[in-house]
């Protein structure tokens, strides 16, 4: 059971302040403790906002192949899975942990956060970020304003994480792709954007409704040819529907 206690955090901070006065701890130590305190507060804020956002979404609860996160315990498991996998594949520089062992950021506040689990173990996760005043993560690398000017309702998929990625159409991959389709179409989103490795586009192009918006030499710290793509799920191909929606 996750117990995030703001009063306990405040008590810790007060204790440090008292210690800094009476024992004169050095400035570096004070900065570290204050940073930890701020991280804990941000984690609590992220959990509160994420749960509230996910509970308001329109989705099919009868589909047990994937779930939306609606509890603190589920979110912590998602954040842990992201951290573990990104560490293994050396993506931590581009997607760093906010707290060691927990990978989350402000975009989780307005995201449909999905996960797959088997026998109580979280095996895959991703999120669908709904556009907001903060825009979308990939906007920092390529602006989507020209799409917004067409009055399109945008979202971005990110933090795609599978614990045992065997490549191809694995069960978790299929479930997450189905979740993308169901959440976007059930919640009146027009276009899904994402940043992907160029080598993966051959597979995604089979989904129908795919378009390359921009070619990039790298995606932040990921120094590989990448593509910014958009997907209109309403014109998904027969291949996609046969492979993911049945």
């Amino acid at each position: 059971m996750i117990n995030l206690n703001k009063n306990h955090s405040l008590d810790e901070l007060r204790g440090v302040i008292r210690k800094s006065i009476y024992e004169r701890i050095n400035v570096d130590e004070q900065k570290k403790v204050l940073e930890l305190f701020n991280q804990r507060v941000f984690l609590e804020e992220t959990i509160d906002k994420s749960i509230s956002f996910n509970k308001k979404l329109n989705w099919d609860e009868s589909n047990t192949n994937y779930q939306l996160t609606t509890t603190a315990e589920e979110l912590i498991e998602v954040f842990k899975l992201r951290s573990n996998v990104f560490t293994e594949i050396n993506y931590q520089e581009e997607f760093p942990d906010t707290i060691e062992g927990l990978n989350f950021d402000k975009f989780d506040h307005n995201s449909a956060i999905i996960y797959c689990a088997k026998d109580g173990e979280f095996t895959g996760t991703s999120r669908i970020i709904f556009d907001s005043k903060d825009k979308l993560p990939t906007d920092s690398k390529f602006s989507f304003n020209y799409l917004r000017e067409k009055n399109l309702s945008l979202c971005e998929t990110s933090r795609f994480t599978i614990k045992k990625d065997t490549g191809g159409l694995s069960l978790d991959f299929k479930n997450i792709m189905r979740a993308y389709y169901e959440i976007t179409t059930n919640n009146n989103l027009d276009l899904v954007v994402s940043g992907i490795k160029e080598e993966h586009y051959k597979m995604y192009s089979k989904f129908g409704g795919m378009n390359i918006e921009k070619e990039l030499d790298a995606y932040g710290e990921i120094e590989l040819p990448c593509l910014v793509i958009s997907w209109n799920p309403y014109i998904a191909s027969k291949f996609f529907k046969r492979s993911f929606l049945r």
Side-chain angles (χ1 to χ4, degrees):
M1 186 72 174
I2 303 301
N3 182 19
L4 300 170
N5 191 316
K6 292 183 180 179
N7 289 332
H8 179 65
S9 298
L10 288 170
D11 287 340
E12 286 184 340
L13 180 62
R14 293 188 187 102
V16 170
I17 293 172
R18 285 194 296 267
K19 185 177 179 182
S20 68
I21 293 172
Y22 295 110
E23 298 181 18
R24 297 186 179 183
I25 64 175
N26 64 56
V27 174
D28 288 339
E29 185 178 349
Q30 291 180 42
K31 287 181 178 179
K32 288 179 182 178
V33 176
L34 287 171
E35 181 181 0
L36 177 60
F37 172 78
N38 289 331
Q39 290 170 344
R40 285 177 60 96
V41 172
F42 181 53
L43 174 60
E44 293 168 3
E45 177 188 10
T46 299
I47 288 174
D48 289 342
K49 290 186 175 180
S50 298
I51 290 174
S52 177
F53 188 87
N54 279 266
K55 284 184 175 180
K56 293 176 182 177
L57 294 174
N58 182 15
W59 67 291
D60 183 6
E61 295 185 22
S62 66
N63 186 346
T64 58
N65 291 322
Y66 74 89
Q67 300 289 329
L68 282 171
T69 53
T70 56
T71 69
E73 289 80 7
E74 290 170 343
L75 279 169
I76 293 296
E77 290 301 318
V78 164
F79 299 160
K80 286 165 60 178
L81 179 58
R82 289 178 186 171
S83 176
N84 291 338
V85 172
F86 290 156
T87 298
E88 289 177 3
I89 62 176
N90 297 317
Y91 273 20
Q92 277 282 0
E93 288 191 18
E94 180 62 25
F95 308 118
D97 290 350
T98 299
I99 295 175
E100 185 175 358
L102 298 176
N103 192 287
F104 62 98
D105 61 24
K106 66 178 182 180
F107 293 107
D108 286 312
H109 298 180
N110 54 296
S111 293
I113 302 174
I114 56 181
Y115 71 90
C116 306
K118 183 177 181 181
D119 298 327
E121 179 185 8
F122 281 51
T123 57
T125 181
S126 189
R127 66 183 180 187
I128 303 169
I129 307 167
F130 286 51
D131 202 11
S132 69
K133 62 180 178 59
D134 291 326
K135 297 191 176 181
L136 298 167
T138 299
D139 269 295
S140 64
K141 300 167 179 64
F142 175 73
S143 175
F144 294 117
N145 284 344
Y146 69 101
L147 296 175
R148 296 183 180 96
E149 290 169 359
K150 297 178 182 179
N151 293 318
L152 293 172
S153 178
L154 305 180
C155 63
E156 179 172 348
T157 61
S158 77
R159 295 299 198 269
F160 192 110
T161 312
I162 295 178
K163 188 170 186 178
K164 296 179 180 179
D165 191 355
T166 57
L169 304 182
S170 67
L171 184 59
D172 281 342
F173 180 83
K174 286 185 176 182
N175 288 333
I176 290 173
M177 292 307 304
R178 177 168 184 154
Y180 286 169
Y181 179 88
E182 292 183 349
I183 291 172
T184 54
T185 55
N186 288 348
N187 291 276
N188 302 315
L189 297 169
D190 297 317
L191 205 61
V192 185
V193 298
S194 187
I196 64 169
K197 292 181 181 178
E198 184 180 61
E199 64 189 67
H200 292 162
Y201 185 71
K202 183 178 180 180
M203 176 181 60
Y204 285 111
S205 66
K206 298 177 183 179
F207 294 177
M210 285 286 176
N211 188 53
I212 297 175
E213 302 295 336
K214 183 68 174 179
E215 297 180 14
L216 301 174
D217 293 331
Y219 190 94
E221 298 296 328
I222 301 173
E223 296 181 353
L224 292 169
C226 292
L227 301 174
V228 177
I229 61 172
S230 64
W231 179 43
N232 182 341
Y234 301 95
I235 54 175
S237 66
K238 291 181 180 179
F239 167 80
F240 180 87
K241 293 178 180 178
R242 181 177 66 251
S243 300
F244 299 98
L245 302 185
R246 289 184 179 178

